[in-house]
């Protein structure tokens, strides 16, 4: 069984999705609601998979919000998972790569788990089948990487530790792959997933989810609900899609 660590922040206005707030009409409050929706879809996917959920959160003071970060996140996801059964742990480290490394290394080496998955919630269409597919691939390789837009990584599952120092340096998918190969590990890949961290990515994701929903295909239900209730519109201009 893969333990999947969801590395997340407390979904509070001003603390999440800053590029969207700066580059679109999305307000800090709507960005927090969007982040909550993405977080709910992510933990629901993990909970419904063959993996074990670990909510790995940054403390409130690290992201500049008031209150208890764990309590805020517990409340945000209470409707989709049994938070009494879920495992919550605070992140340790100054950088994202450092926090990933501390979490993965501790689980693999100290707790002697067979495999560890790492995901952030800013992914539009992550599903439980992605976790299960990665777990199947780990039977024949050491690391599975899920590419995302912008050269990022939406999911990474490790059966063996690596040198995690700066392993998510842009472009993360290439950096992380090279780091794993340097350690002598075999690497396989999942299909690319859409991130929603930039204005262009959010507009693309909205259009894609709407199209899939209209065609009767499965879509991430909390993100889809946020789209249905948002007071914004996606328009096409010379630069592509944008939110107005």
């Amino acid at each position: 069984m893969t333990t999947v660590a969801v590395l997340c922040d407390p979904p509070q206005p001003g603390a999440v999705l800053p590029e969207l707030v700066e580059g679109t009409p999305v307000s800090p409050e709507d960005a927090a609601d969007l982040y909550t929706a993405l977080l709910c879809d992510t933990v629901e996917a993990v909970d419904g998979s063959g993996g074990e959920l670990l909510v790995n959160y940054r403390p409130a003071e690290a992201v500049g919000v008031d209150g208890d970060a764990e309590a805020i996140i517990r409340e945000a996801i209470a409707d989709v998972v049994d938070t009494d059964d879920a495992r919550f742990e605070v992140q340790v480290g100054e950088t994202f790569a450092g926090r990933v490394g501390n979490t993965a290394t501790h689980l693999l080496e100290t707790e002697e788990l067979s495999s560890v998955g790492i995901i952030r919630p800013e992914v539009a269409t992550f599903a439980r089948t992605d976790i299960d597919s990665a777990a199947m691939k780990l039977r024949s390789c050491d690391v599975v990487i899920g590419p995302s837009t912008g050269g990022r990584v939406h999911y990474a599952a490790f059966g063996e530790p690596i040198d995690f120092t700066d392993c998510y340096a842009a472009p993360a998918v290439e950096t992380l792959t090279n780091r794993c190969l340097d350690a002598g590990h075999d690497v396989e890949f999942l299909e690319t997933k859409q991130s929603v961290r930039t204005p262009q990515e959010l507009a693309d994701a909205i259009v894609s989810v709407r199209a899939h929903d209209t065609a009767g295909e499965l879509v991430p239900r909390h993100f889809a609900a946020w789209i249905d209730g948002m007071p914004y519109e996606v328009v096409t201009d010379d630069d592509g899609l944008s939110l107005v």
Side-chain angles (χ1 to χ4, degrees):
M1 178 190 302
T2 299
T3 293
V4 181
V6 180
L7 272 67
C8 58
D9 298 332
Q12 295 289 284
V16 293
L17 302 174
E19 292 182 70
L20 298 184
V21 175
E22 294 172 4
T24 73
V26 174
S27 68
E29 292 74 19
D30 286 342
D33 289 342
L34 170 58
Y35 190 90
T36 299
L38 297 168
L39 177 60
C40 285
D41 284 330
T42 301
V43 298
E44 190 172 52
V46 177
D47 189 60
S49 74
E52 179 183 2
L53 173 65
L54 166 59
V55 181
N56 201 208
Y57 62 91
R58 281 208 287 174
E61 60 271 18
V63 292
V65 301
D66 296 326
D68 183 321
E70 181 176 332
I72 293 169
I73 294 171
R74 282 182 180 273
E75 181 179 2
I77 65 175
D79 290 340
V80 295
V81 296
D82 185 344
T83 56
D84 290 334
D85 290 339
R87 179 177 175 181
F88 287 77
E89 290 185 0
V90 68
Q91 294 179 30
V92 178
E94 296 297 321
T95 66
F96 179 71
R99 295 190 291 274
V100 169
N102 287 330
T103 297
T105 301
H106 172 78
L107 293 172
L108 289 170
E109 296 187 344
T110 304
E111 297 193 13
E112 298 182 342
L113 300 183
S114 60
S115 59
V116 174
I118 301 291
I119 186 170
R120 295 175 66 163
E122 303 100 321
V123 183
T125 57
F126 186 71
R128 64 175 181 82
T129 52
D130 299 308
I131 299 169
D132 294 338
S133 176
M136 290 290 292
K137 290 177 181 291
L138 281 174
R139 295 180 180 182
S140 59
C141 71
D142 301 310
V143 180
V144 177
I145 296 174
S148 187
T149 46
R152 302 188 190 96
V153 170
H154 77 264
Y155 183 68
F158 303 91
E160 297 289 343
I162 63 169
D163 177 4
F164 287 95
T165 305
D166 297 327
C167 66
Y168 278 78
V173 65
E174 186 175 11
T175 303
L176 186 58
T177 298
N178 289 336
R179 191 66 55 85
C180 294
L181 295 175
D182 289 344
H185 299 328
D186 296 328
V187 178
E188 291 192 26
F189 296 91
L190 299 175
E191 66 177 75
T192 300
K193 294 285 183 176
Q194 178 78 50
S195 292
V196 293
R197 293 174 60 186
T198 70
Q200 183 66 61
E201 288 172 343
L202 177 58
D204 289 344
I206 290 171
V207 170
S208 178
V209 168
R210 279 178 169 168
H212 283 78
D213 192 28
T214 301
E217 296 188 4
L218 290 176
V219 295
R221 65 188 185 102
H222 297 94
F223 181 40
W226 183 87
I227 292 171
D228 287 342
M230 70 175 186
Y232 313 108
E233 181 181 355
V234 177
V235 298
T236 303
D237 54 30
D238 293 340
D239 296 323
L241 300 176
S242 61
L243 213 61
V244 298

